[in-house]
């Protein structure tokens, strides 16, 4: 963090930054004086990643994250460039069509980019291109040429590139205007893009993908721009589209004439469905999936998406028929089984809900939502010990979910364990910011544990921290730091 602070205030000009997202994608001052090392790059890239994660800008869906990481690793394995980066592949929660690499080997692909792709090889092509930019250190070269831009503005420019090309999402994350930053947007040079396309194409083909994937996605984006009247953010940070299309087409006809695979993992359709369901309201999501089904009526990923959208719209009969079609094609479809069960749970049809959720649990006993809702079914039917077991399992995987501590407290109470009931109520109220209620429950919990036990020591520590926080004087200026800058 000291590195970040040093950069932000290098010009001794206060910078107003709101939100936890970006303090930001920072380009270190030391780089401009030729002192910037690989280690510096990795440290700053890691700090940016942590800020994006803390600001809830990155997808947390384990299947989405796993898919993009597996795809990235497959491409990365074809790179023999001896850079010391520990690459990290992430999905940004933005519908903007963009992908961007940052110092230290951190590569970000926007949700909108994944949704737009027609084949896996197209996403592979995008990632291959970004890996090539990192291996060639093009970002560092851009920073060198931008010495005269103050570092706060540089941070905003790079942040805008990740969060959508300087659009509303970026402005919401950064408290300073991007009007000036937009005019100074860091853009790869035509030479940078040509080198990344050439090297990326080599990675793509070596991984076994069809070389047309990279070209086809460029053409799709051009068509998207034509039909939607929106310029994809990708074009703002990766210029020279027409020249790149011609260059890629030439490479394919002259050098990479052998056709490769469109798909290796077979998961793109389901990942797209998950992203659309997370990004859109059920009405627009349903229209999206219905359009898919017009051209491919047996597309189980589109059927699954339509089923969930129908359920969320309260069209449960249609949703049930659609879920049944998915499960007829694949009786072990974990997503369909889980969401079908959740629909029945919300309808209070507990027998059907439990049946679907048990089947889902048998397919994957580590799926968080399946564990949670099956636990709720058991709680509803009075099987409190079974519910407690599942809630405990869920909590181990989702400790940040505040509400699970309430569920645990209730189940411990129902099973006669007052100490653990009070303890979990204490954690729940602490996370809710209700200090007095948390202190009451922690004090009550202490009575149930021996003074020499680990749990007694843990609860005592919680109480000490809460009492200190309650006694701490309020910060001046409404909780702001003395300078007037909002804390990140």
């Amino acid at each position: 963090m000291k590195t970040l602070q040093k950069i932000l205030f290098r010009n001794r000009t206060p910078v107003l930054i709101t939100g936890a997202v970006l303090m930001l994608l920072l380009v270190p001052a030391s780089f401009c004086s030729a002192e910037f090392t690989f280690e510096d790059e990795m440290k700053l890239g890691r700090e940016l990643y942590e800020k994006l994660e803390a600001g809830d800008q990155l997808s947390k869906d384990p299947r989405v994250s796993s898919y993009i990481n597996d795809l990235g690793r497959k491409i990365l394995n074809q790179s023999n460039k001896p850079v010391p980066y520990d690459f990290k592949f992430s999905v940004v929660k933005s519908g903007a069509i963009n992908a961007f690499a940052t110092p230290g080997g951190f590569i970000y692909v926007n949700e909108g980019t994944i949704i737009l792709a027609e084949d896996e090889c197209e996403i592979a092509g995008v990632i291959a291109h970004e890996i090539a930019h990192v291996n060639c250190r093009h970002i560092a070269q851009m920073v060198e040429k931008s010495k005269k831009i103050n570092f706060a503005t540089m941070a905003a420019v790079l942040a805008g590139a990740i969060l959508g090309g300087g659009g509303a999402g970026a402005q919401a994350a950064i408290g300073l205007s991007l009007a000036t930053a937009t005019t100074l947007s860091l853009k790869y040079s035509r030479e940078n893009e040509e080198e990344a396309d050439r090297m990326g194409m080599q990675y793509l083909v070596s991984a076994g993908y069809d070389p047309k994937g990279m070209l086809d996605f460029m053409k799709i984006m051009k068509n998207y721009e034509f039909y939607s009247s929106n310029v994809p953010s990708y074009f703002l940070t990766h210029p020279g589209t027409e020249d790149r299309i011609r260059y890629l087409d030439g490479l394919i006809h002259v050098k990479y004439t052998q056709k490769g695979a469109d798909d290796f993992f077979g998961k793109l359709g389901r990942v797209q469905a998950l992203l659309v369901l997370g990004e859109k309201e059920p009405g627009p999501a349903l229209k999206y999936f219905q359009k898919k089904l017009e051209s491919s009526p047996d597309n189980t990923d589109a059927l699954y998406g339509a089923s969930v959208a129908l359920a969320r719209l309260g069209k449960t009969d249609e949703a049930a028929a659609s879920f049944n079609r998915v499960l007829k094609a694949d009786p072990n479809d974990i997503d369909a089984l889980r969401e079908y069960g959740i629909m029945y749970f919300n309808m209070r049809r507990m027998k059907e809900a439990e049946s679907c959720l048990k089947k889902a649990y048998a397919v994957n006993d580590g799926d968080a939502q399946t564990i949670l809702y099956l636990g709720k079914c058991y709680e509803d039917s009075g099987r409190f010990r079974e519910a407690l077991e599942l809630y405990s399992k869920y909590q181990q995987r989702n400790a940040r979910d505040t509400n699970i501590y309430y569920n645990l407290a209730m189940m411990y109470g129902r099973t006669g364990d007052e100490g653990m009931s009070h303890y979990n109520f204490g954690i729940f109220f602490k996370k809710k910011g209700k200090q007095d209620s948390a202190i009451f429950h922690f004090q009550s919990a202490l009575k149930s544990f021996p003074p020499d036990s680990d749990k007694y020591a843990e609860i005592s520590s919680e109480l000490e921290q809460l009492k200190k926080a309650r006694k701490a004087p309020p910060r001046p200026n409404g909780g702001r730091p003395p300078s007037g800058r909002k804390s990140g």
Side-chain angles (χ1 to χ4, degrees):
M1 187 55 65
K2 289 181 180 179
T3 308
L4 287 168
Q5 292 171 342
K6 180 174 69 175
I7 296 164
L8 279 173
F9 301 109
R10 181 174 182 268
N11 296 325
R12 297 184 182 180
T13 302
V15 181
L16 178 63
I17 298 180
T18 62
V21 179
L22 278 154
M23 264 182 89
L24 289 171
L25 197 172
L26 294 177
V27 182
S30 56
F31 181 82
C32 290
S33 58
E35 298 173 4
F36 193 48
T37 65
F38 283 119
E39 184 179 358
D40 293 329
E41 279 195 69
M42 290 185 283
K43 182 178 180 181
L44 286 171
R46 168 59 60 182
E47 289 182 6
L48 166 65
Y49 171 81
E50 290 172 355
K51 291 298 175 186
L52 286 170
E53 188 176 43
D56 196 29
Q57 294 294 310
L58 304 179
S59 173
K60 292 183 176 64
D61 188 303
R63 261 118 28 97
V64 173
S65 300
S66 176
Y67 176 72
I68 210 71
N69 183 67
D70 289 345
L71 190 51
R73 295 291 163 190
K74 182 173 178 61
I75 300 297
L76 187 61
N77 286 341
Q78 310 310 314
S79 166
N80 55 10
K81 187 84 172 178
V83 292
Y85 307 125
D86 182 14
F87 278 76
K88 176 79 175 177
F89 302 91
S90 302
V91 176
V92 179
K93 295 197 296 189
S94 169
I97 300 165
N98 204 5
F100 205 79
T102 73
F106 291 81
I107 291 176
Y108 302 90
V109 182
N110 284 15
E111 290 180 350
T113 305
I114 299 172
I115 292 171
L116 189 66
E118 293 181 354
D119 290 302
E120 183 176 287
C121 65
E122 293 172 6
I123 298 297
V126 170
I127 293 175
H129 183 87
E130 299 306 327
I131 291 175
H133 276 309
V134 172
N135 285 340
C136 294
R137 300 193 81 191
H138 288 155
I139 303 166
Q141 294 171 22
M142 286 192 294
V143 174
E144 274 252 283
K145 294 176 182 178
S146 305
K147 291 178 184 178
K148 294 181 181 180
I149 302 176
N150 72 67
F151 287 98
T153 302
M154 183 71 72
V157 172
L158 288 167
I162 292 180
L163 298 176
Q171 292 183 38
I174 310 163
L176 71 102
S177 170
L178 293 181
T180 303
T182 300
T183 66
L184 298 171
S185 279
L186 290 180
K187 295 180 180 179
Y188 292 115
S189 68
R190 298 296 175 91
E191 292 77 16
N192 289 160
E193 293 292 14
E194 183 177 310
E195 185 176 19
D197 281 334
R198 184 171 60 252
M199 189 176 290
M201 181 71 78
Q202 179 185 331
Y203 299 162
L204 188 68
V205 172
S206 297
Y209 284 106
D210 195 315
K212 285 189 65 180
M214 190 178 288
L215 174 63
D216 287 346
F217 192 71
M218 291 294 294
K219 291 180 177 179
I220 289 171
M221 287 195 296
K222 285 298 293 182
N223 288 336
Y224 174 87
E225 178 185 19
F226 177 77
Y227 287 113
S228 72
S229 300
N230 290 324
V231 178
S233 306
Y234 192 83
F235 291 167
L236 301 178
T237 52
H238 297 70
T241 309
E242 293 292 351
D243 289 342
R244 289 179 61 194
I245 287 174
R246 286 193 292 270
Y247 181 72
L248 288 169
D249 198 24
L251 274 179
I252 291 169
H253 280 92
V254 174
K255 187 173 183 179
Y256 299 109
T257 57
Q258 194 76 17
K259 182 176 174 61
D262 291 330
D263 190 295
F264 277 103
F265 295 100
K267 298 177 181 179
L268 177 61
R270 185 53 56 92
V271 167
Q272 289 175 324
L274 294 171
L275 292 176
V276 169
L277 289 168
E279 180 186 87
K280 300 179 184 296
E281 292 296 315
L286 180 59
K287 290 180 181 178
Y288 170 89
F289 293 119
Q290 287 175 333
K291 187 174 181 180
K292 287 267 187 183
L293 290 168
E294 286 176 6
S295 57
S296 183
D298 296 323
N299 183 326
T300 54
D301 295 317
L303 274 172
Y304 160 74
S307 304
V308 177
L310 286 165
R312 291 177 182 176
L313 288 167
K315 300 180 179 181
T316 53
D317 289 341
E318 294 177 64
S322 187
F323 275 128
N324 286 331
R325 287 182 63 189
V326 177
L327 293 172
K328 183 177 181 180
D330 181 4
N332 293 323
D333 190 312
I334 177 69
D335 298 316
L337 287 167
R338 180 190 62 248
E339 296 300 326
Y340 203 0
I342 292 173
M343 183 187 81
Y344 278 133
F345 178 87
N346 291 331
M347 294 169 67
R348 308 306 299 165
R349 292 173 58 175
M350 307 308 292
K351 184 177 180 180
E352 292 96 329
E354 185 177 324
S355 175
C356 289
L357 292 165
K358 275 186 172 180
K359 290 176 183 176
Y361 190 72
V363 173
N364 181 2
D365 64 2
D367 184 80
Q369 290 298 300
T370 300
I371 295 169
L372 179 62
Y373 276 89
L374 185 55
K376 290 182 177 183
C377 284
Y378 289 154
E379 178 182 354
D380 187 83
S381 63
R383 295 148 68 184
F384 302 130
R385 292 195 180 279
E386 291 172 89
L388 177 59
E389 182 180 344
L390 288 176
Y391 287 156
S392 297
K393 188 174 183 178
Y394 176 86
Q395 184 274 332
Q396 291 169 10
R397 292 164 169 76
N398 300 272
R400 292 183 179 181
D401 186 344
T402 299
N403 292 325
I404 191 60
Y405 296 96
Y406 181 88
N407 296 80
L408 285 167
M410 292 297 294
M411 290 307 95
Y412 276 116
R414 293 282 193 173
T415 56
D417 191 335
E418 291 187 14
M420 287 301 293
S421 179
H422 281 297
Y423 167 75
N424 279 281
F425 272 131
I427 296 293
F428 172 75
F429 285 116
K430 176 189 172 184
K431 287 179 173 287
K432 286 288 187 179
K434 297 181 178 180
Q435 293 181 343
D436 290 342
S437 296
I439 289 172
F440 167 79
H441 283 288
F442 282 136
Q443 287 176 334
S444 300
L446 276 180
K447 301 173 185 177
S448 299
F449 298 98
D452 59 347
S453 66
D454 291 340
K455 184 60 70 175
Y456 189 97
E458 180 187 348
I459 296 170
S460 297
S461 176
E462 294 280 5
L463 276 168
E464 184 179 353
Q465 292 175 31
L466 284 167
K467 289 176 181 179
K468 282 183 179 179
R470 188 167 63 175
K471 291 179 181 179
R475 296 176 70 175
N477 302 318
R480 296 180 183 177
S483 66
R485 294 185 298 273
K486 293 182 179 179
S487 62

